[in-house]
Amino acid sequence: YQRRVHGGQRLLELMPHVSAVNFVCSPLGRSVQTMRLIQQAWGVPLDFTTDDRLKELNFGSWEGKVEAELGEARTDRMQDPWNYVPDGGGESYEMLQARVQEWLAEVKADTVVVTHGGVIRLLQIMLQDLPHEDVLGLPKPPQDKLLVWDGGKTLQWIPPY
């Protein structure tokens, strides 16, 4: 909780022109809670949109399972994460990229986004023109830092304090 409040305060320091900032998040619970905390830290009315395209990667029938339960399917995914689609309505990273890319194309102003690890990995790949094969090679996005993009090719993780 405290990290999310500090994160909101740190964002305000980086983006003091709050009246011109859009707020959008995944509709999933923790993202919505975090966005509310950010807006409270900024002292602005709770006014944000949610966007299904910012939801975490859909793991289909894998949802709620630990890696040890996945067996050979996990090995197959690790060999080709970009194209592998888990059974039961899951998504490949290629499918996730299509929806994130569609969302990103609509961003026209400074925007505070609260989303999930898979989406953040994809944004890093897309914004820095990295090979898509690197998607699982990127470090797990830290939950104690903010990812700030300058609109060009520079992404940096900053502490929220």
Side-chain angles (χ1 to χ4, degrees):
Y1 170 83
Q2 220 33 45
R3 277 192 311 212
R4 293 185 281 176
V5 170
H6 287 299
Q9 293 166 339
R10 180 72 171 118
L11 279 172
L12 183 55
E13 293 170 17
L14 296 169
M15 303 172 74
H17 53 286
V18 67
S19 62
V21 174
N22 295 324
F23 296 88
V24 63
C25 67
S26 159
L28 302 179
R30 194 165 43 177
S31 293
V32 170
Q33 289 173 343
T34 299
M35 183 59 79
R36 287 182 179 139
L37 290 170
I38 289 170
Q39 289 191 318
Q40 287 169 356
W42 282 31
V44 298
L46 295 180
D47 183 22
F48 58 90
T49 59
T50 61
D51 195 311
D52 283 344
R53 296 172 294 183
L54 295 173
K55 284 182 179 178
E56 180 60 285
L57 183 70
N58 183 334
F59 291 98
S61 61
W62 292 12
E63 291 291 340
K65 294 185 178 179
V66 295
E67 290 182 6
E69 295 176 276
L70 302 177
E72 271 188 48
R74 183 183 185 290
T75 303
D76 293 344
R77 179 172 183 261
M78 295 304 288
Q79 289 175 352
D80 188 10
W82 197 252
N83 296 303
Y84 185 82
V85 180
D87 293 333
E91 290 178 291
S92 66
Y93 271 97
E94 182 178 38
M95 296 162 78
L96 176 62
Q97 182 185 19
R99 65 177 161 92
V100 172
Q101 209 161 27
E102 180 183 287
W103 169 80
L104 186 60
E106 296 173 9
V107 175
K108 304 295 183 211
D110 287 345
T111 304
V112 173
V113 181
V114 178
T115 189
H116 309 276
V119 174
I120 292 170
R121 280 187 172 132
L122 253 292
L123 286 169
Q124 288 178 272
I125 292 227
M126 292 163 35
L127 297 174
Q128 294 180 300
D129 290 328
L130 299 172
H132 68 261
E133 294 86 5
D134 290 353
V135 70
L136 290 182
L138 292 172
K140 183 177 178 180
Q143 295 189 5
D144 63 342
K145 292 193 167 73
L146 307 168
L147 181 62
V148 177
W149 177 46
D150 69 0
K153 298 288 181 209
T154 304
L155 287 169
Q156 63 179 359
W157 292 103
I158 60 165
Y161 313 106

